Amino acid sequence: MTPRQAYATEKPWLQPLPAFRPPIYQSLTRVVDLSGFVTVDTNRYSVPERFCGKVVDIHKGTETIRLFRKYKKIANHERLIGRRDAKITAPGHHLPPQRRTQKGNADKHRRILLGHSHALDQYVNRLKVVARSSATRKMQRLINFKQTYPKAAFDKAVERALQYGLYDLNRLENLILSFVAGDFFNLNDHDH
């Protein structure tokens, strides 16, 4: 049987296609990165932040990118054609970054350290100038040293560090520990 004969035989039973033509798309699966984006053809498309680290389904159409999570549409983007390494962010997908200001904290920590000894006052004031942007973190660490280690060893180490211009807090802690060494576990000094 030729194709024409087969068509003539089957024609009475053929039905017309529906008027609706389903969209043509390529189905993809991606994991949303920690920045809240998925990558399709080197371009990055935003996804709401709550889906970071989750698997999403992508329908890559001829003009649009549609993103789904568990069969629910979560985002729709215009497809970037002819561009590479571009990024498109839909409004509301990502919160604007907010910086926590810590300017007042450095001064607050500085006030806690001042007034205990002349050497510590000089060291704290100089550390604030040297540390600049990381002053808050360094002041917190210095307070931790002051609260953790014996006063005599701490004061002696601060005086030595000030004398040599030593503002690296790792080295300051090693200096404190060298002055503390043997004080706590000296078992020969106790009387029987």
Side-chain angles (χ1 to χ4, degrees), residues 113-132:
L113 289 166
L114 293 176
H116 296 284
S117 73
H118 181 67
L120 182 59
D121 292 351
Q122 287 182 327
Y123 189 80
V124 166
N125 289 331
R126 184 69 187 133
L127 181 64
K128 184 179 179 195
V129 171
V130 170
R132 289 188 221 126

Side-chain angles (χ1 to χ4, degrees), residues 41-99:
D41 299 334
T42 74
N43 294 316
R44 299 178 71 206
Y45 299 91
S46 70
V47 178
E49 286 183 339
R50 66 182 175 273
F51 298 108
C52 287
K54 308 281 189 210
V55 176
V56 295
D57 296 317
I58 301 170
H59 292 179
K60 180 176 109 175
T62 54
E63 296 178 359
T64 62
I65 299 283
R66 294 178 297 160
L67 298 113
F68 296 88
R69 169 80 176 151
K70 295 184 178 178
Y71 306 106
K72 183 180 176 189
K73 186 191 253 186
I74 57 172
N76 195 29
H77 294 286
E78 182 180 327
R79 185 170 164 207
L80 300 173
I81 300 172
R83 293 178 60 190
R84 297 184 57 79
D85 302 318
K87 186 190 310 186
I88 186 166
T89 306
H93 280 188
H94 301 153
L95 297 174
Q98 296 177 352
R99 290 191 85 181

Side-chain angles (χ1 to χ4, degrees), residues 164-181:
Y164 291 110
L166 178 68
Y167 299 103
D168 178 7
L169 294 185
N170 289 329
R171 292 179 69 188
L172 176 66
E173 186 173 25
N174 289 337
L175 195 57
I176 294 169
L177 290 172
S178 71
F179 291 132
V180 171

